[in-house]
């Protein structure tokens, strides 16, 4: 049976309204309203949990422009040929059937006094609580020579979907013995091991299809996530193929010329065949438009992910500045559940439990060679603070690495189901 | 789009083909003693023999001739209920297909087990399980093969009554990886376990007696009450 919004409201909501006495009811409308902007790991999870756990007591609207969500996690595995683009694409139908009003539109403004969100399509929607989970946008001018108009010549592929497909097409079209270049981003950025997993997956593809090709990485960071594990893996699987240029050798001093397909590293001009530019990042623009950012990110309170700027606006995931958690889909999903519990408590008086956070990031280096890093976190008055953690070890057996990869497959199904139902 | 339903249809169709091709030659050829060793892989969840009872998985006494999902006092996955309603019965042939790749036959089974890939091992295991069946009625009085898991947990910890509402909140930390519906795609199912098994398992991670870095980390900061709450929640989930 397909549960549409009308039948959902007609049954569960009426029953809930008759039985429950919500603690907060905004004047002028019945059920308290939550608007969630952004249907990724943070936003979809928050919308689903609030709708599911409030059993119709809260009106939840999710605003997400795209009809198919392509997960950034596992998009590198698509580049490596381990997944198809359809494997990483997900619709919002199950979420809608679960009681979330899914609106495919862009949120273009927030009026914090009137407590409304305006949409590109012209509508203005009222909220009692607003949850922003917009992911990232790029910092203008962070890589001289590159801007969004150059993203077809030099893709970022750091928002999955058409950009991933473009980068894959360019990778496949590389001339024999050609050069794949990457401009790695400065901290902080989405998915700390992401660029290096991508290098691994590109290397895997080239080893199969274009074994004399080279990979060149210009990196502004002196060290990077899982560095020892990646360097060991690159040596084991892709010896001689990958050159990493850190800041000691000018990796932070780069510019590009998309028309000429050149990458200038500290004055040395490299002619390249593919150039994957991953610029510096900042919170998705709606956070800035809502006035809840300070610098590039939105500072939040660790206990419930509410912003420092406005107690009725929450920011989840990559866009938030919360403390020790890395910007990852897992982190956003974890933060969303803490936030959902707090928002529901504030609007209906349901019990609010103490915040607990965790994260694990799996990366694939080569077939059946998976590694992971993870940590648990707690809320302190200052920030989300790390409690405990672990990381895969260099020199692990093939059996352990294979089990780690298989576990990541299980996690992928787990988290996408947890987000979208 | 990841079309799980279509994928499931494919795997079910594939299982049916396997089934028809499965040669019945192994049925009498298994080595019961060797099968006892193979059963060690199953005994974490399944008991068989005198005194066997349901645990994480159903007990396996009288398995031959039993309809799938045929025990009244065990909460089977929907997948198994459908298979049973569809006429699946346990015999050497069906067990052989199932045990080779459990999720190919019942895609939604909560049985977190990749299967017994070796044909001889399967034949031995099936011969061993056969000895615990009424039909054929050649059942020796055997000791229970699987006993309650060895543990030295304080009885006071086991006696804690968990708060399922708190468990539901805490479960959010689990369901990022473990599917709430009980599916297993590389990460085991944790739903509908007997609460004691759940508590013993999490304390084994917490005390670093079971090896898995993520689980040691997650369980490591759960209090006794929190573990009891999770056991109460996951142990009584409605499917």
């Amino acid at each position: 049976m397909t549960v549409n919004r009308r039948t959902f409201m007609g049954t569960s909501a009426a029953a809930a309204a008759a039985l429950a006495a919500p603690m907060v009811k905004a004047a002028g409308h019945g059920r308290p309203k939550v608007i969630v902007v952004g249907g990724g790991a943070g936003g979809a999870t928050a919308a689903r949990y609030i709708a599911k756990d409030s059993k119709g007591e809260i009106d939840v609207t999710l605003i997400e422009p795209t009809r198919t969500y392509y997960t950034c996690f596992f998009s590198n595995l698509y580049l490596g040929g381990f997944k198809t683009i359809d494997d990483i694409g997900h619709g919002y139908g199950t979420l809608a059937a679960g009681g979330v009003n899914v609106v495919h539109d862009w949120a273009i403004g927030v009026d914090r006094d009137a407590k409304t969100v305006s949409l590109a399509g012209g509508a203005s929607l009222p909220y009692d609580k607003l949850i922003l989970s917009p992911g990232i946008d790029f910092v203008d001018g962070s890589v001289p020579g590159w801007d969004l108009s150059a993203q077809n010549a030099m893709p970022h592929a750091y928002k999955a979907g058409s950009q991933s497909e473009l980068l894959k097409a360019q990778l496949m079209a590389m001339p024999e013995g050609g050069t794949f270049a990457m401009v790695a981003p400065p901290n902080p950025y989405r998915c700390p091991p992401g660029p290096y997993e991508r290098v691994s997956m590109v290397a895997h593809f080239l080893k199969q299809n274009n074994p004399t090709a080279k990979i060149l990485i210009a990196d502004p960071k002196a060290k990077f996530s899982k560095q020892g594990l990646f360097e060991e893996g690159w040596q084991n699987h892709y010896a001689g193929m990958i050159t990493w240029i850190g800041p000691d050798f000018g990796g932070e001093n780069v510019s590009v010329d998309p028309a000429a397909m050149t990458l200038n590293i500290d004055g040395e001009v490299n002619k390249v065949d593919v150039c994957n530019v991953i610029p510096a990042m900042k919170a998705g623009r709606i956070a800035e438009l809502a006035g809840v950012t300070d610098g590039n990110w939105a500072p939040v309170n660790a206990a419930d992910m509410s912003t420092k700027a406005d107690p009725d606006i929450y920011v989840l995931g990559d866009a938030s500045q919360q403390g020790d958690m890395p910007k990852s889909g897992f982190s956003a999903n974890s933060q969303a559940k803490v936030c959902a519990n707090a928002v529901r408590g504030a609007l209906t008086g349901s019990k609010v439990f103490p915040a607990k956070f965790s994260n694990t990031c799996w990366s694939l280096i080569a077939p059946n060679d998976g590694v992971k890093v993870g940590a648990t976190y707690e809320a302190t008055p200052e920030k989300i603070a790390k409690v405990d953690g672990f990381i895969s070890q260099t020199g692990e057996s093939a059996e352990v690495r294979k089990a780690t990869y298989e576990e990541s497959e299980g996690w992928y199904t787990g988290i996408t189901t947890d987000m979208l139902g | 789009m990841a079309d799980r339903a279509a994928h499931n249809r494919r795997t079910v169709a594939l299982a049916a083909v396997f089934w028809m091709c499965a040669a019945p030659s192994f049925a009498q050829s298994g080595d019961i003693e060797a099968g006892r060793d193979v059963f060690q892989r199953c005994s974490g969840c399944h008991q068989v023999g005198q005194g066997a009872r349901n645990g994480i998985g159903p007990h396996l006494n009288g398995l031959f001739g039993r309809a799938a999902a045929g025990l009244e006092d065990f909460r089977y996955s929907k997948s198994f209920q459908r298979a049973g309603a569809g006429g699946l019965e346990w015999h050497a042939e069906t067990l052989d297909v199932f045990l080779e790749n459990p999720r190919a036959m019942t895609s939604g089974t909560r049985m977190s087990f990749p299967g017994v890939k070796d044909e001889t091992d399967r034949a031995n295991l099936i011969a061993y399980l056969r000895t615990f069946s009424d039909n054929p009625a050649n059942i020796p009085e055997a000791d229970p093969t699987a006993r309650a898991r060895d543990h030295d947990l304080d009885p006071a910890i086991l006696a804690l009554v968990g708060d399922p509402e708190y468990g539901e909140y805490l479960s959010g930390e689990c369901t990022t990886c473990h599917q709430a519906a009980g599916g297993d795609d590389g990460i085991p199912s944790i739903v509908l376990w007997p609460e004691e098994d759940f508590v013993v398992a999490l304390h084994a991670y917490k005390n670093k007696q079971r090896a898995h870095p993520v689980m040691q980390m997650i369980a490591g900061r759960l209090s006794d009450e929190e573990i009891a709450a999770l056991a109460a929640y996951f142990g009584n989930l409605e499917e």
Side-chain angles (χ1 to χ4, degrees):
Chain A
M1 172 184 136
T2 307
V3 180
N4 64 31
R5 181 158 169 73
R6 181 168 305 195
T7 57
F8 179 80
M9 287 182 65
T11 54
S12 343
L19 295 170
M23 197 171 77
V24 173
K25 266 198 174 180
H29 51 82
R31 294 186 295 161
K33 292 183 192 298
V34 171
I35 293 180
V36 182
V37 177
T45 306
R48 176 167 174 266
Y49 270 70
I50 293 171
K52 170 172 79 71
D53 294 341
S54 73
K55 299 179 173 64
E57 278 188 66
I58 298 175
D59 184 329
V60 183
T61 297
L62 174 68
I63 299 165
E64 162 58 48
T66 67
R67 281 161 175 77
T68 301
Y69 170 65
Y70 291 95
T71 58
C72 261
F73 42 97
F74 273 31
S75 65
N76 288 328
L77 274 63
Y78 158 68
L79 292 177
F82 294 88
K83 300 286 162 196
T84 67
I85 195 72
D86 288 344
D87 287 338
I88 62 169
H90 306 267
Y92 290 94
T94 312
L95 203 59
V100 175
N101 177 25
V102 181
V103 175
H104 292 299
D105 204 340
W106 281 95
I108 53 165
V110 175
D111 183 334
R112 281 162 50 187
D113 296 323
K115 297 181 87 171
T116 57
V117 176
S118 51
L119 305 183
S124 173
L125 304 177
Y127 66 83
D128 296 301
K129 296 284 190 184
L130 173 61
I131 300 172
L132 302 177
S133 191
I136 50 112
D137 275 318
F138 300 116
V139 176
D140 285 342
S142 68
V143 177
W146 191 92
D147 61 26
L148 279 185
S149 70
Q151 71 168 5
N152 250 44
M154 294 188 169
H156 53 80
Y158 231 64
K159 299 180 184 187
S162 54
Q163 276 278 303
S164 315
E165 292 183 278
L166 178 63
L167 186 60
K168 172 108 186 212
Q170 293 181 355
L171 175 63
M172 292 171 77
M174 262 176 67
E176 191 181 333
T179 299
F180 179 102
M182 171 188 281
V183 177
N187 289 320
Y189 62 97
R190 157 181 286 181
C191 189
Y196 312 99
E197 181 187 56
R198 175 171 296 173
V199 164
S200 307
M201 291 294 93
V202 166
H204 169 72
F205 178 88
L206 293 174
K207 187 178 173 181
Q208 310 294 313
N209 299 286
N210 191 349
T212 55
K214 301 289 181 207
I215 299 173
L216 176 64
I217 313 160
D219 203 327
K221 304 181 294 296
K223 54 187 182 158
F224 56 84
S225 172
K226 299 178 184 165
Q227 185 164 1
L229 295 164
F230 280 116
E231 287 177 347
E232 177 196 52
W234 294 348
Q235 188 60 41
N236 287 346
H237 302 291
Y238 316 116
M241 185 182 266
I242 300 165
T243 304
W244 179 75
I245 299 175
D248 289 357
F249 295 92
E252 90 290 11
N253 182 22
V254 299
S255 64
V256 295
D257 182 341
M261 281 307 288
T262 55
L263 166 61
N264 184 319
I265 304 176
D266 208 24
E268 185 190 308
V269 176
N270 299 272
K271 181 88 181 78
V272 300
D273 298 290
V274 179
C275 194
N276 175 205
V277 175
I278 310 175
M281 298 173 202
K282 61 179 183 179
R285 176 137 171 83
I286 191 66
E288 191 182 330
L289 292 172
V292 296
T293 51
D294 179 7
N296 284 338
W297 309 100
V300 295
N301 298 300
D304 61 0
M305 304 301 291
S306 63
T307 55
K308 304 276 191 191
D310 186 331
D312 291 324
I313 300 182
Y314 302 72
V315 174
L316 303 178
D318 296 349
S320 68
Q321 180 184 307
Q322 33 69 22
D324 294 349
M325 294 184 84
K327 298 184 185 298
S328 73
F330 197 125
S331 292
N333 169 269
S334 175
Q335 293 159 10
K337 287 180 259 196
V338 168
C339 175
N341 184 251
V343 164
R344 188 162 64 91
L347 294 177
T348 69
S350 66
K351 198 165 172 183
V352 177
F353 296 103
K356 273 191 175 215
F357 305 94
S358 55
N359 176 62
T360 301
C361 289
W362 287 267
S363 302
L364 186 61
I365 298 176
N368 290 317
D369 191 356
V371 293
K372 60 186 170 182
V373 60
T376 51
Y377 304 86
E378 65 186 3
T380 68
E382 293 76 37
K383 63 173 184 174
I384 296 181
K386 182 174 171 180
V387 176
D388 188 17
F390 71 88
I391 184 165
S392 294
Q393 301 300 304
T394 52
E396 283 174 338
S397 71
E399 197 181 345
V400 168
R401 292 295 176 88
K402 180 166 185 281
T404 300
Y405 171 60
E406 287 169 356
E407 189 178 275
S408 73
E409 295 260 19
W411 164 76
Y412 185 87
T413 310
I415 190 172
T416 49
T417 308
D418 200 39
M419 289 162 52
L420 297 161
Chain B
M1 197 90 11
D3 188 342
R4 294 204 188 99
H7 177 72
N8 289 347
R9 277 196 297 279
R10 275 200 301 278
T11 53
V12 168
L14 203 62
V17 173
F18 263 124
W19 200 338
M20 287 184 284
C21 299
S25 58
F26 53 78
Q28 311 298 333
S29 62
D31 175 335
I32 292 170
E33 283 308 310
R36 187 194 302 276
D37 291 338
V38 179
F39 185 73
Q40 295 305 317
R41 299 186 217 168
C42 320
S43 63
C45 298
H46 292 285
Q47 301 181 18
V48 71
Q50 198 173 29
R53 57 181 179 83
N54 294 330
I56 293 167
H59 77 73
L60 299 177
N61 289 343
L63 184 62
F64 283 66
R66 186 202 289 174
L71 293 178
E72 283 182 6
D73 53 353
F74 186 80
R75 293 175 67 181
Y76 292 94
S77 63
K78 284 220 168 62
S79 209
F80 254 123
Q81 290 173 22
R82 276 194 297 273
L88 175 61
E89 222 177 64
W90 294 124
H91 299 290
E93 292 83 355
T94 51
L95 280 170
D96 188 58
V97 175
F98 177 68
L99 288 170
E100 184 180 11
N101 185 356
R103 292 196 303 124
M105 184 187 273
T106 45
S107 58
T109 181
R110 295 195 307 275
M111 186 161 113
S112 298
F113 185 65
V116 180
K117 300 301 171 205
D118 184 273
E119 197 179 337
T120 311
D121 282 350
R122 281 202 306 279
N124 295 343
L125 176 60
I126 290 165
Y128 174 68
L129 290 173
R130 197 184 178 87
T131 64
F132 298 97
S133 279
D134 296 328
N135 186 20
N138 58 343
I139 313 168
E141 289 296 322
D143 288 335
T145 307
R147 298 188 174 83
R149 253 62 68 222
D150 291 331
H151 63 80
D152 49 7
L153 267 188
D154 184 343
I157 289 178
L158 287 174
L160 284 174
V161 177
D163 170 6
E165 190 191 356
Y166 189 28
E168 181 173 14
Y169 167 68
L170 292 170
S171 75
E173 191 161 40
C174 314
T175 54
T176 302
C177 300
H178 298 277
Q179 295 170 50
D184 168 7
D185 293 271
I187 288 187
S189 165
I190 55 171
V191 307
L192 299 179
W193 286 28
E195 291 183 34
E196 182 173 329
D197 290 296
F198 196 101
V199 170
V200 168
L202 275 190
H203 279 280
Y205 285 121
K206 184 180 168 78
N207 300 330
K208 310 219 185 297
Q209 293 156 333
R210 276 178 85 157
H212 190 278
V214 178
M215 285 309 304
Q216 287 184 355
M217 180 182 79
I218 296 290
R221 67 163 176 171
L222 292 172
S223 68
D224 297 346
E225 288 74 18
E226 288 171 333
I227 288 175
L230 283 166
Y233 173 70
F234 279 116
N236 298 286
L237 267 182
E238 292 299 322
E239 278 191 89

